[in-house]
Amino acid sequence: MDFTYDDEQVALRDAVRGLVGKTYSDHEHRRQTVNDEPGFDEKQWARMAEMGILGLPFAEADGGVGAGPVEIGIVAQEMGRVIAPEPFLTCVVLAGGLVSAAGSAEQREEILGAVAEGERVLALAHDEPGRGWVSTASAVTAAEQGGTWTLEGVKEPVVQGARADTLVVTAALPDGGTGLFLVDGDAADLRRDSYRTYDGGRAAKVTFSGTAATPLGEVADREATVATILDVGRITAANEALGSMETALRLTTDYLKSRKQFGVTLNTFQALTFRAADMYVSLELASSMVQWATMVLMSGDAEAASDAARRTALQVSRAARHVGQEAIQLHGGIGVTAEYAVGNHVARLTALDHLLGDGTHHLGGLVSRIGDHEGVDPLR
């Protein structure tokens, strides 16, 4: 596998780095942005649309650019470096990915075109209270009467669920299976209770009470489609975590080289330097796995992508925990304060770890499939 970016990918990386870095390299500006509703900068969202970032994964016929997983990963890494709060992962990759995969031609053109233009924000309403990281739905049920579909039940947490113009909802179908539906954000009998998440983002408890819904594409069991898009999301989240870990390590080494104790800088103490070196090792192991998984995603093999997503999510989960904890420790007391950037990176890394399945969840999934292998080949 060739992990080297070509000229166009380098240009994309530099352009995205310039855009989000200009806005959020000042950590105080990021703090002010997440303190205000809706938890991200709408003007920055519009600038991302103008640059073509929001339409990257979508087909050109649907108003997008038709870029691949590597380009999506590049964007996610650059957003992770500055923990940009814009909902690229949840709106574009997850909710937009489902519309792209399951929507009719008319739905794709209408919805994805608006997302690419920055005119419509989507939210994926899939997680349900008490159920962890599965690809099916049960707490929200769909019913059809006279050609009209309605939804009943609760989804939580729904990232940016209160801000979203359109909700992409998974629901249990009357005949079994998991269907996909679109619900307008202003629909009657729809309640959205918003709250802040500990990484500065926004989520909502969304309650459907006979809420009118439109089937996304044909009404059918979409569990396989949901599972595939969640795996795409896991690999994208791993790319974002990679960018955040790189910044956390850089901030830590900069601190060790500038903070003085007993008249010398902290990097003079060998034990601290060794701990920073161990952080670098964790980061490099995670980086290799993320790049490999991103390349596997390009193959279009859903089963291989699922396996790669689980392995990578596990490695990144462990690396993020190690890098985050050491970054806090090596910064001393200031590392846990909201006023300092490294603490916010650790909070975001923790949120990403729990968004689509933490390390323990993915370890369990890998263990359950160990019998499929005559021997364990970590690079298969």
Side-chain angles (χ1 to χ4, degrees), residues 20-34:
V20 298
K22 182 179 180 181
T23 304
Y24 294 117
S25 57
D26 176 4
H27 176 64
E28 185 57 28
H29 178 71
R30 195 257 181 195
R31 279 217 317 139
Q32 293 174 0
T33 300
V34 298

Side-chain angles (χ1 to χ4, degrees), residues 142-145 147-151 173-174 181 211-215 219:
E144 186 267 339
Q145 185 173 22
T148 300
W149 285 88
T150 56
L151 302 180
L173 298 173
F181 296 86
T211 308
T214 303
V219 178

Side-chain angles (χ1 to χ4, degrees), residues 245 248 279 319-329 342 346 349:
M245 283 189 286
M279 292 170 65
R321 188 173 180 82
H322 176 223
V323 171
Q325 288 181 340
E326 286 293 81
I328 292 289
Q329 288 284 327
V342 72
V346 176
L349 287 171

Side-chain angles (χ1 to χ4, degrees), residues 14 17 40-41 91 101 114 124 166 171 184 197 199 214 241 300 317 343 358 371:
D14 293 345
R17 184 174 295 181
F40 68 92
D41 188 341
C91 169
L124 173 59
T166 304
D184 191 276
T197 55
D199 65 332
T214 303
S317 173
D358 62 14

Side-chain angles (χ1 to χ4, degrees), residues 167-186:
L167 298 170
V168 180
V169 188
T170 57
L173 298 173
D175 297 331
T178 297
L180 285 168
F181 296 86
L182 298 172
V183 173
D184 191 276
D186 297 326

Side-chain angles (χ1 to χ4, degrees), residues 3 5 26 88 90 94 113 202:
F3 294 157
Y5 293 153
D26 176 4
F88 177 77
T90 54
L94 292 175
R202 300 293 188 279

